[in-house]
Amino acid sequence: MCGMPQQPPIRSTPTRPSRPDASMSLLTNVMDHSLDDGYAEASARKKAAGDGGLPKTLRARLGLALGLVLAALVVTVGAAQARVAAPVVAKEREELIDRIDRETDTADKLEESVDQLRDDVGTRQREALKHTGDSGQADLVGILSGAVEVHGPGVKLVVNDAKEASTGGDGNPRETSGFSDTGRVRDRDMQRVVNGLWESGAEAISINGQRLTALSAIRAAGDAILVDNKPLVPPYTVLAVGDGQRLSTRFQGSADGLYLHALQENYGIRTAISAEDDLRLPAAPSVIVRTAEPRTEKGTS
């Protein structure tokens, strides 16, 4: 009896999950668990395993203790040195202050001595000139040389930089060395002002309280104006003793007065002039002649 041929059993193949479902599961996991949570979990596992906190071995603990002791020692030594040096510094400071006070007193005494010697020289000059029959010549010489204080009517002239000295005027730089700012008053400006006042009839002149003499010089050092090597700061107040109204009129009409007016119009330099009833000018600090000598009878014969 012939049987029917037996067919092999059919095996079912398991179905693979779709890849889109796996990708969505991964993205969902990333969104639900951020990196911060991962770090927190890692840190918790590290602490639980005994890897964090203070060192566990004896050698590590001894090293940490030694480091703390050294740090404390450095801090202690520094504080001790500062405490020891403080009295020394304070003592040196007091000694320096005492020295400054002593030198200041010495300078004051020398100034008083100079004033007394100046008065003595003036008295001797007047006494000597009395024998020539011209007792007023000594006073005139003292006034013209700047050796004595003077007062009288005159002119007060104030010269100041432009309000915006960094730009100044129309922006055209005046050619010079040392002053590139067009709105700044220069040494040559003050020279012309002083020479114009002398030419207009001034008998005595001072700038910011500094008396001018025949030996005075107005110069520049960097951006500063020097009068007899003493720096001045703006505004520059020029006092000139003379016939006030006439002196003011003659100066403003002179070439130097017009020059000052041009500085005001073109570069914004500020000026103000007024006639005063009484001006007081100090004596010059020192009048030292190193080369000139008086003519004697022997030299004139």
Side-chain angles (χ1 to χ4, degrees):
M1 181 174 182
C2 295
M4 297 292 294
Q6 187 178 4
Q7 296 184 1
I10 299 175
R11 297 181 181 180
S12 62
T13 304
T15 59
R16 299 177 60 184
S18 60
R19 298 186 61 87
D21 294 338
S23 300
M24 291 299 297
S25 177
L26 179 61
L27 291 176
T28 303
N29 187 27
V30 171
M31 295 297 295
D32 292 340
H33 302 282
S34 62
L35 293 178
D36 293 339
D37 295 338
Y39 283 125
E41 293 176 1
S43 177
R45 289 195 302 270
K46 186 176 181 181
K47 289 183 179 180
D51 295 338
L54 296 175
K56 300 300 182 180
T57 63
L58 179 60
R59 185 175 182 180
R61 291 183 178 181
L62 289 177
L64 177 61
L66 181 60
L68 294 175
V69 170
L70 290 177
L73 181 62
V74 170
V75 173
T76 303
V77 171
Q81 290 180 349
R83 182 175 299 178
V84 172
V88 177
V89 174
K91 183 178 179 180
E92 292 178 352
R93 182 175 179 273
E94 292 178 358
E95 291 178 353
L96 181 60
I97 293 175
D98 293 339
R99 183 179 177 183
I100 292 175
D101 293 338
R102 290 194 303 268
E103 296 297 334
T104 301
D105 294 337
T106 302
D108 293 339
K109 292 179 181 179
L110 290 175
E111 289 182 359
E112 294 178 358
S113 178
V114 169
D115 293 336
Q116 293 177 358
L117 292 174
R118 184 182 289 115
D119 295 339
D120 184 47
V121 169
T123 302
R124 291 176 182 271
Q125 288 177 345
R126 287 189 291 270
E127 290 294 332
L129 290 174
K130 284 182 180 179
H131 300 288
T132 63
D134 192 358
S135 59
Q137 186 174 357
D139 295 334
L140 178 60
V141 170
I143 293 174
L144 297 179
S145 63
V148 296
E149 181 182 355
V150 297
H151 72 93
V155 165
K156 178 181 178 181
L157 175 61
V158 180
V159 183
N160 199 0
D161 295 337
K163 290 184 178 180
E164 297 181 357
S166 59
T167 56
D170 57 3
N172 295 326
R174 294 182 286 171
E175 297 179 357
T176 184
S177 59
F179 287 86
S180 59
D181 193 339
T182 60
R184 295 289 302 276
V185 179
R186 310 181 204 166
D187 55 335
R188 74 179 188 185
D189 300 334
M190 297 307 300
Q191 290 174 3
R192 294 202 59 168
V193 167
V194 170
N195 290 334
L197 288 172
W198 285 125
E199 186 178 358
S200 299
E203 300 173 2
I205 299 177
S206 69
I207 303 177
N208 286 11
Q210 182 71 21
R211 181 74 175 275
L212 301 182
T213 68
L215 304 178
S216 296
I218 302 175
R219 298 175 181 175
D223 290 341
I225 295 179
L226 307 182
V227 175
D228 292 337
N229 294 326
K230 292 186 177 181
L232 304 181
V233 295
Y236 307 102
T237 301
V238 183
L239 302 180
V241 174
D243 187 348
Q245 193 59 48
R246 182 181 179 186
L247 179 59
S248 175
T249 302
R250 293 186 62 181
F251 171 75
Q252 295 184 66
S254 65
D256 298 313
L258 296 176
Y259 170 81
L260 187 61
H261 181 71
L263 294 182
Q264 182 179 5
E265 292 293 328
N266 298 326
Y267 302 104
I269 291 177
R270 293 167 288 175
T271 63
I273 187 170
S274 61
E276 304 291 335
D277 295 332
D278 188 27
L279 298 174
R280 293 188 176 274
L281 278 62
S286 61
V287 180
I288 301 175
V289 179
R290 298 182 176 85
T291 304
E293 296 180 0
R295 297 180 62 184
T296 61
E297 295 181 358
K298 182 178 179 180
T300 57
S301 59

